[in-house]
Amino acid sequence: KITEPFGYIVKPFSERELHANIEMALHKHQAECQLRKVEKWFAASMQRIADGVIFTTKDDGTITFINRVAELLTGCPSSMALGQKASKVFRLVARDSGAELEDPVARTLREGIVIEMGRQVLLIGDQIEKIPVDYTGACLRNQAGEATGVVLVFRDLSEHRQTEELMRKAAAQLFQAQKLESLGV
């Protein structure tokens, strides 16, 4: 068991049994190689995405994967985040009131659907300043449709907010200039 063999043969064995076991071992090896290839591709894709991504278990919301963007936004490196509860790493407060929001993992599991939280939340943490984010939480499900965990995808809206503020100021200045022009000033 420790060496994780692809099969075994009990003596005495026939040539037919040996042949069948070798074919099964080769098939299992190819399937595992393909699975490792897909896992590497998936992990690379999640690391390259521009959004923060956190995967958790269903049972207690333990983080099983965190990409580089999520590490930067939460201020929590993967070496510290993996094995932690997501509620300790991914903490949100309401932008207007500052009240801490329900654990996104618990909410996603409870509601059982894709949760989208718009631009009304701030990500908080010990190592970071409040960061405006929007996030989506979705249940991960097995083939039987049972929840096995949650994926949280979130994005820093800081630059977006700055752009909105600049556009509001520009619109106000334009309105003021038009008003002055209409008064003949």
Side-chain angles (χ1 to χ4, degrees):
K1 282 184 176 180
I2 294 172
T3 61
E4 297 182 19
F6 288 111
Y8 65 93
I9 301 172
V10 178
K11 293 182 183 180
F13 57 87
S14 69
E15 186 177 326
R16 195 171 127 232
E17 287 175 297
L18 177 61
H19 190 268
N21 273 291
I22 290 171
E23 280 191 26
M24 287 183 358
L26 288 172
H27 177 73
K28 185 175 178 183
H29 174 70
Q30 289 172 341
E32 286 186 8
C33 286
Q34 184 66 24
L35 180 61
R36 278 194 291 279
K37 188 176 173 182
V38 169
E39 286 173 343
K40 285 181 184 178
W41 173 85
F42 180 74
S45 298
M46 290 298 103
Q47 289 298 349
R48 288 185 181 99
I49 195 168
D51 295 335
V53 179
I54 295 175
F55 286 87
T56 72
T57 60
K58 172 191 170 231
D59 300 331
D60 61 0
T62 298
I63 296 174
T64 57
F65 175 86
I66 182 169
N67 74 350
R68 183 75 181 131
V69 175
E71 289 180 67
L72 294 171
L73 291 175
T74 62
C76 190
S78 64
S79 59
M80 292 176 58
L82 295 176
Q84 285 268 5
K85 293 194 185 298
S87 59
K88 301 280 187 219
V89 175
F90 188 70
R91 295 175 37 223
L92 301 172
V93 296
R95 190 176 94 185
D96 52 356
S97 68
E100 193 151 351
L101 300 177
E102 178 184 7
D103 172 18
V105 172
R107 179 175 176 210
T108 303
L109 287 169
R110 186 185 74 248
E111 295 188 17
I113 55 173
V114 175
I115 304 297
E116 291 187 51
M117 194 59 142
R119 300 159 189 236
Q120 305 304 316
V121 298
L122 299 171
L123 177 64
I124 61 169
D126 300 333
Q127 308 297 320
I128 59 168
E129 292 185 30
K130 293 178 179 175
I131 299 171
V133 296
D134 68 355
Y135 83 93
T136 302
C139 283
L140 300 171
R141 299 190 181 280
N142 62 17
Q143 290 181 337
E146 302 162 335
T148 59
V150 168
V151 61
L152 301 169
V153 180
F154 52 103
R155 171 176 297 147
D156 182 352
L157 297 176
S158 300
E159 289 181 14
H160 183 75
R161 292 231 192 260
Q162 290 170 350
T163 302
E164 283 179 341
E165 187 59 32
L166 287 172
M167 289 176 67
R168 269 194 289 278
K169 287 180 181 178
Q173 288 174 347
L174 179 62
F175 176 74
Q176 188 66 25
Q178 289 172 341
K179 187 176 176 183
L180 290 173
E181 186 178 313
S182 70
L183 293 173
V185 177

